[in-house]
Amino acid sequence: MFRVFQEEKLITIAMFTCLGISIILRIFLGLLYRNMIKEADNMAITKNRLLRQCKTKFASCYEMSGGVANISVFVDKFLGRMALGHLSFDTLYHLSGQMMLLSVVCSGIGVCKSILTGRTLGDVLPFYIASFFGLYAYFSISTVVDVSGKKRVLKVNLVDYLENHLSPRIDVTRQDIEMLYGESVFEEKQGSRTPARGRRRKNARGAGRRPEQRTLELMPIGNRLAAGGEELAEMEAPQPPFQQMPPVPPQPEGAAAPDPSAVPDDSALVTEEELEALLKEFLTS
């Protein structure tokens, strides 16, 4: 009865290969979601790469925006972006169904080819039987695995953890950091990344062209004031009056030179009016 499978080997191999791939993909997705549900119960110590990525993205969005308004939408977007390599989980889910349909198409091609070659209904019956049992196995396994139900459970667990456990912890941590270091810490984290990189690049580019800087040592303001005060005091201090020497009378020729010790000291002869005139002249000059 199943001799037709041996005669149509290519069609038979394609039919059972597509059926097997569709069932394997559905079971594989069910196991992935099941593992993630178990890890979601211990999100604080999870080692799952996707769940850790979810926590990191949520914490970053929470700190940048000051909170996440709709956590359910955030989780939906994350679940829609989960991927295994270049294929997302949703793509794998739909690919499983498409492979099952392709298996049925291969079975129909086998039936048509068998009828064209003159085979009877009993000869092509194995293709119908394989298609019916393949569909039954596919839908039965899909019901047992229940990928859609596991996805809903995973969403509920993630929303519960992010909303009731992670969000309060982020607020407490932020308050503790603000109490210790102030609010400027978060502003510096957000604003110092790009400018700091730009400054480092500019410094690296202009390191060889920057001229040598010269430093100039300046006297402290206090010392300069003190030095200026001393100079001002010296300028404003009264100077001793100029003592004019009396003219020496001309001596006749042949007379002996006068003795310097015998010259009378007339410094006391300067009057008070001359002192005032000299002082005024000095101050006005």
Side-chain angles (χ1 to χ4, degrees):
M1 180 178 179
F2 295 96
R3 186 178 57 186
V4 68
F5 290 154
Q6 296 178 358
E7 295 176 357
E8 302 293 340
K9 289 183 179 180
L10 184 61
I11 296 175
T12 303
I13 292 173
M15 180 182 64
F16 284 107
T17 300
C18 294
L19 177 61
I21 290 174
S22 65
I23 295 175
I24 290 173
L25 285 177
R26 192 56 60 96
I27 295 174
F28 178 70
L29 285 175
L31 293 176
L32 283 178
Y33 280 112
R34 182 182 178 184
N35 183 35
M36 293 181 67
I37 290 171
K38 289 183 178 179
E39 292 291 335
D41 293 335
N42 297 315
M43 284 283 289
I45 58 175
T46 183
K47 296 182 180 180
N48 189 281
R49 180 181 59 86
L50 294 174
L51 296 181
R52 293 173 64 181
Q53 185 178 1
C54 177
K55 290 196 302 182
T56 304
K57 286 185 177 181
F58 181 81
S60 300
C61 294
Y62 195 95
E63 291 181 358
M64 292 176 61
S65 305
V68 178
N70 198 334
I71 299 178
S72 179
V73 174
F74 175 85
V75 174
D76 284 334
K77 291 175 65 177
F78 173 75
L79 293 177
R81 293 174 181 174
M82 286 194 307
L84 187 65
H86 297 286
L87 297 176
S88 64
F89 283 15
D90 292 337
T91 302
L92 293 175
Y93 180 82
H94 295 299
L95 182 61
S96 174
Q98 294 300 319
M99 295 302 292
M100 184 64 233
L101 293 178
L102 187 58
S103 174
V104 175
V105 170
C106 291
S107 176
I109 293 174
V111 170
C112 295
K113 187 177 179 181
S114 298
I115 293 175
L116 291 176
T117 56
R119 292 188 179 93
T120 61
L121 182 60
D123 295 332
V124 299
L125 189 60
F127 285 109
Y128 290 104
I129 296 174
S131 298
F132 291 148
F133 276 101
L135 291 171
Y136 175 77
Y138 173 80
F139 287 110
S140 299
I141 293 174
S142 298
T143 303
V144 173
V145 173
D146 194 12
V147 175
S148 300
K150 285 181 172 59
K151 188 175 181 180
R152 287 193 298 267
V153 174
L154 179 61
K155 177 184 175 181
V156 172
N157 291 347
L158 290 177
V159 171
D160 175 65
Y161 174 77
L162 297 178
E163 186 173 358
N164 300 326
H165 297 83
L166 188 58
S167 298
R169 287 174 59 187
I170 294 176
D171 291 335
V172 171
T173 304
R174 185 183 179 94
Q175 292 175 3
D176 293 340
I177 295 177
E178 288 179 356
M179 291 176 62
L180 291 175
Y181 303 103
E183 297 181 356
S184 60
V185 176
F186 296 95
E187 297 178 358
E188 292 177 358
K189 287 182 180 180
Q190 297 177 1
S192 64
R193 295 178 181 176
T194 304
R197 293 177 181 174
R199 287 195 296 270
R200 286 196 296 268
R201 292 177 180 175
K202 290 181 180 179
N203 294 337
R205 293 176 181 174
R209 297 177 296 176
R210 180 176 296 174
E212 183 180 358
Q213 296 182 356
R214 298 181 179 178
T215 59
L216 180 63
E217 295 182 359
L218 300 177
M219 182 183 295
I221 296 177
N223 297 338
R224 284 186 285 167
L225 291 177
E230 292 178 358
E231 294 177 359
L232 184 61
E234 292 178 359
M235 293 177 61
E236 293 181 355
Q239 301 293 332
F242 178 75
Q243 297 179 359
Q244 185 177 3
M245 299 297 292
V248 179
Q251 297 293 331
E253 295 182 0
D259 187 5
S261 61
V263 178
D265 186 8
D266 293 338
S267 60
L269 300 177
V270 181
T271 61
E272 185 177 1
E273 295 178 357
E274 293 178 351
L275 291 176
E276 291 180 358
L278 290 174
L279 184 61
K280 289 180 181 179
E281 183 181 358
F282 176 78
L283 294 176
T284 56
S285 60

